[in-house]
Amino acid sequence: MEHAAQYRKKQQRRSDWLWAYVMIAPTVLGLAYFYFWPIVQTIYFSFTKWGAFGKYKWAGLDNYEKLLDDPTVWKSLGNTFVYTFLSVPVSMAISIFVAVLLNQKINGVSVYRTLYFLPVVTMPTAIAMVWKWLYHSEYGLINNLLSSFSIEGPLWINDPDIALYSLVIVAIWSTVGYNMVIFLSGLQGIPRTYYEAAQIDGAGPYRQFFRITLPLLTPTIFFVMIISMINAFQVFDIILMMIGPQNSTIDDTQSLVYLFYHHAFVVDNKGYAAAIGVILLVIILAVTIVQMRLQKKWVHYE
Amino acid sequence: MKATVGTTTRKAAIGIHLILIFGALLMVGPFLWMLLTSFKTLGEATQVPPIIFPKVFQWKNYADATVTLPFFTFYWNTIITTVAKVLGQMILCSIAAYAFARIEFPGRNVLFVFCLSVLMVPSQVYLLPQFLLIRDLGWLNSLEALIVPGLFSAFGTFLLRQFFLSLPKELEESAKLDGCNHIQIYFHIMLPLIKPGLIALAIFTALWSWNDLMWPLIVNSSPEKMTLSAGLASLQGQNMTHYPILMAGALLAILPMIVLFMFLQKQFVEGISLTGSK
């Protein structure tokens, strides 16, 4: 009797396993074929040199050695860092500020939220086009507005010293809405009683912000920071669309990913492109690991 | 005493509104300028100092944009791609996520870490061999190239697994006693309960699919198989400087997502907040 029950249980487990494998099969196989295997291949390609007709041969560390000697790589790495470490903190600061304002008891919160969120649902290609038009040195709205205050506007994306910062502005503008929505939901998770207690103790709004809001928001800040930095490291669309290969400021603005695209699909230097991809992966992993380590120092979990 | 508190908070509220309105103007300004420019003649658009409104609304710019480029083909390709990816991911990811969350089987952790590894890697790391793969399959310049790799999502599987994990264990225990198999439990009992997760996934997938640039640019170079995003890039690539037509084209490309957002605002916002808290 007991035997039979055990047997049935075993049968049941076997059938569970079978179900599980059938259910995960499409996704696991699809990911393996279209994603995981290409990842392995990229790592392999990064040690190869590509010739005509898609032939490639083992080249050892050649690509990596060339990378280290290539000033364009270092420049684009620098551009990527400037872009990321400027746009992410500024966008986060603005979005926390806006989220705190929206978390007050005021009317029209949903209207504001909608308006701030619009860039998030907008195609980066189109965003790039309109900003290119706004930045136009002669006919652009921005310089014309500046000139009505008797300020001579810069050349924006055509000035090698300013082009990268022009892109940073666009990045901030495009990401504030997304971050703000996440911060707002983080803020709504902070119990009102904390603020009431603080008010009784006579703490003003600034004190409340730095003593209650900010510490309790740190898990959300951490999440947004990780996601934003990974996204910012991969900036490509707005560089291609606003600067593009013909503009002379491309060297001052191109990111590692743009350089990857250039070598992989424009000049057909695939081994080199693969090596850039691997470097990018290593950098993103390193930055993420550092952040994970540092989080214990400043993120408050209840 | 009470009155003064009331007035200061009203003052504060006005201050808050002023700041928020200023910010909202900065956020919406580029869209308004896009809209206004799209209705101007080239002469009006390049006038210095600029004029705000066109004398006559040039609807012709929109017609011109659709003539310069096969816009309706782009729409069709983008819509098909987006719908296929959204539906495909909702089905495939939720089935896999169910198994990962609710069934114990040998190799579960290894296989799940395998999925996670794909999630952690930036797309540039697999893009190049993925392109070669599509080429070898003979899929360059086809909708398959846009759709098929996008049916599988490590992000979607991970996200929905979190939702399945949060459901109580008793659910499938009682269903099993009633003789339900896993497909029935998944479909009839669990799936309705993770609806917020499915909606969040659908929204993210739709946004990414609609707005993606690099992949469509790489795999499909013929205009018949281009998406809106790649099509706009090619419009600008032709060194076109007729800004009113460019703005009309850009507006046509972003309008569907904006309309969708307006209708599904609550779901968009909830979806994004959910991923932030999961």
Side-chain angles (χ1 to χ4, degrees):
Chain A
M1 201 45 194
E2 215 165 83
H3 230 73
Q6 237 173 16
Y7 178 75
R8 237 198 341 259
K9 215 171 173 187
K10 209 169 171 186
Q11 281 292 76
Q12 171 67 40
R13 261 220 332 252
R14 282 276 155 81
S15 118
D16 276 356
W17 294 356
L18 192 67
W19 274 115
Y21 290 127
V22 171
M23 292 173 103
I24 63 168
T27 293
V28 168
L29 294 177
L31 289 176
Y33 186 64
F34 286 107
Y35 296 87
F36 194 76
W37 177 234
I39 293 172
V40 176
Q41 278 181 300
T42 293
I43 295 171
Y44 172 69
F45 286 162
S46 75
F47 298 106
T48 61
K49 185 171 172 48
W50 287 59
F53 310 113
K55 288 215 174 75
Y56 51 87
K57 58 174 196 286
W58 184 259
L61 289 170
D62 278 10
N63 289 323
Y64 291 99
E65 280 167 14
K66 250 196 283 170
L67 268 177
L68 292 177
D69 282 339
D70 187 345
T72 334
V73 170
W74 288 105
K75 181 76 181 142
S76 64
L77 184 63
N79 292 340
T80 312
F81 274 104
V82 170
Y83 176 88
T84 304
F85 290 114
L86 262 181
S87 69
V88 172
V90 175
S91 169
M92 283 176 56
I94 295 175
S95 44
I96 291 175
F97 179 65
V98 175
V100 168
L101 293 186
L102 288 179
N103 202 33
Q104 309 303 311
K105 283 181 199 139
I106 54 163
N107 298 320
V109 169
S110 68
V111 177
Y112 288 123
R113 199 178 52 191
T114 306
L115 297 179
Y116 282 78
F117 199 75
L118 270 183
V120 183
V121 299
T122 307
M123 191 180 281
T125 324
I127 288 178
M129 285 166 75
V130 70
W131 276 92
K132 199 176 173 185
W133 174 225
L134 289 167
Y135 277 146
H136 198 289
S137 52
E138 224 174 314
Y139 312 125
L141 182 64
I142 297 177
N143 277 3
N144 276 301
L145 282 178
L146 288 176
S147 75
S148 66
F149 295 104
S150 310
I151 302 170
E152 199 187 331
L155 296 175
W156 299 106
I157 53 173
N158 292 315
D159 180 335
D161 294 329
I162 293 181
L164 186 57
Y165 304 103
S166 311
L167 297 183
V168 168
I169 293 174
V170 180
I172 295 167
W173 180 83
S174 334
T175 52
V176 159
Y178 176 85
N179 296 341
M180 177 269 290
V181 164
I182 297 183
F183 283 131
L184 195 53
S185 87
L187 288 174
Q188 280 158 358
I190 300 176
R192 289 255 166 220
T193 47
Y194 289 5
Y195 294 105
E196 283 155 15
Q199 257 159 5
I200 291 168
D201 290 347
Y206 294 102
R207 228 181 136 78
Q208 285 179 31
F209 176 76
F210 286 107
R211 290 292 165 85
I212 302 172
T213 312
L214 216 48
L216 289 175
L217 204 58
T218 47
T220 317
I221 294 175
F222 179 67
F223 171 82
V224 172
M225 195 166 84
I226 295 260
I227 299 282
S228 313
M229 288 187 73
I230 290 176
N231 284 336
F233 269 123
Q234 299 181 60
V235 57
F236 167 76
D237 298 12
I238 60 169
I239 299 174
L240 178 76
M241 289 299 293
M242 290 182 68
I243 313 286
Q246 276 120 17
N247 195 323
S248 61
T249 55
I250 188 69
D251 287 338
D252 305 289
T253 49
Q254 66 183 343
S255 62
L256 264 189
V257 169
Y258 186 90
L259 203 63
F260 160 84
Y261 169 81
H262 178 75
H263 283 292
F265 302 106
V266 182
V267 294
D268 206 26
N269 195 359
K270 295 196 164 43
Y272 201 56
I276 295 175
V278 172
I279 295 290
L280 189 78
L281 174 63
V282 171
I283 293 172
I284 290 184
L285 280 183
V287 171
T288 310
I289 289 170
V290 168
Q291 285 176 316
M292 294 279 186
R293 284 274 161 79
L294 287 179
Q295 73 162 313
K296 282 181 212 117
K297 299 227 160 98
W298 64 276
V299 180
H300 297 254
Y301 290 105
E302 283 144 277
Chain B
M1 189 64 199
K2 225 173 179 177
T4 46
V5 172
T7 47
T8 47
T9 46
R10 177 166 295 167
K11 246 186 213 160
I14 291 171
I16 289 171
H17 277 295
L18 284 178
I19 297 170
L20 287 172
I21 289 169
F22 175 73
L25 279 177
L26 289 180
M27 299 310 284
V28 180
F31 289 100
L32 288 179
W33 197 240
M34 198 187 218
L35 186 69
L36 288 169
T37 304
S38 76
F39 284 113
K40 289 176 186 171
T41 63
L42 185 60
E44 287 171 326
T46 53
Q47 207 163 305
V48 177
I51 50 163
I52 295 176
F53 293 101
K55 276 199 199 75
V56 183
F57 277 71
Q58 303 288 328
W59 292 94
K60 198 171 124 314
N61 291 332
Y62 286 84
D64 286 348
T66 58
V67 171
T68 322
L69 283 175
F71 243 90
F72 296 105
T73 313
F74 294 167
Y75 262 121
W76 180 247
N77 294 338
T78 314
I79 291 170
I80 292 287
T81 306
T82 302
V83 170
K85 277 203 234 176
V86 168
L87 290 180
Q89 282 193 20
M90 282 169 87
I91 296 166
L92 295 179
C93 292
S94 66
I95 291 185
Y98 168 86
F100 276 125
R102 313 296 300 197
I103 309 177
E104 277 193 40
F105 56 92
R108 179 170 78 163
N109 290 338
V110 176
L111 287 168
F112 188 67
V113 168
F114 162 83
C115 290
L116 275 187
S117 72
V118 173
L119 180 63
M120 304 295 281
V121 169
S123 65
Q124 293 75 34
V125 179
Y126 48 74
L127 215 58
L128 177 55
Q130 208 179 34
F131 164 78
L132 299 173
L133 184 67
I134 295 293
R135 190 195 62 192
D136 295 343
L137 288 167
W139 284 355
L140 290 187
N141 285 315
S142 75
L143 289 180
E144 285 94 321
L146 298 175
I147 295 169
V148 178
L151 295 177
F152 313 101
S153 164
F155 168 77
T157 310
F158 178 75
L159 178 72
L160 295 183
R161 176 177 166 272
Q162 299 293 99
F163 280 89
F164 280 122
L165 282 177
S166 65
L167 302 176
K169 196 105 192 108
E170 294 78 42
L171 271 176
E172 67 247 60
E173 273 163 10
S174 60
K176 264 186 190 163
L177 288 179
D178 291 344
C180 289
N181 66 32
H182 279 294
I183 281 287
Q184 288 165 323
I185 299 174
Y186 153 78
F187 191 75
H188 291 298
I189 300 172
M190 300 267 178
L191 211 51
L193 294 174
I194 62 149
K195 219 167 108 188
L198 284 173
I199 293 173
L201 175 63
I203 285 168
F204 273 105
T205 309
L207 264 182
W208 286 336
S209 173
W210 192 273
N211 295 337
D212 190 21
L213 176 64
M214 204 198 275
W215 181 248
L217 205 60
I218 294 167
V219 289
N220 290 357
S221 51
S222 91
E224 295 90 67
K225 300 295 174 193
M226 264 185 196
T227 58
L228 285 163
S229 184
L232 280 185
S234 78
L235 186 67
Q236 195 171 281
Q238 296 161 11
N239 268 327
M240 179 148 161
T241 48
H242 196 298
Y243 275 98
I245 295 183
L246 283 175
M247 292 302 115
L251 260 173
L252 285 176
I254 64 174
L255 205 59
M257 269 299 137
I258 290 183
V259 171
L260 196 70
F261 167 60
M262 292 294 179
F263 276 109
L264 300 174
Q265 264 187 66
K266 215 178 119 223
Q267 284 82 352
F268 267 77
V269 170
E270 273 171 11
I272 284 178
S273 321
L274 272 175
T275 53
S277 60
K278 280 280 167 190

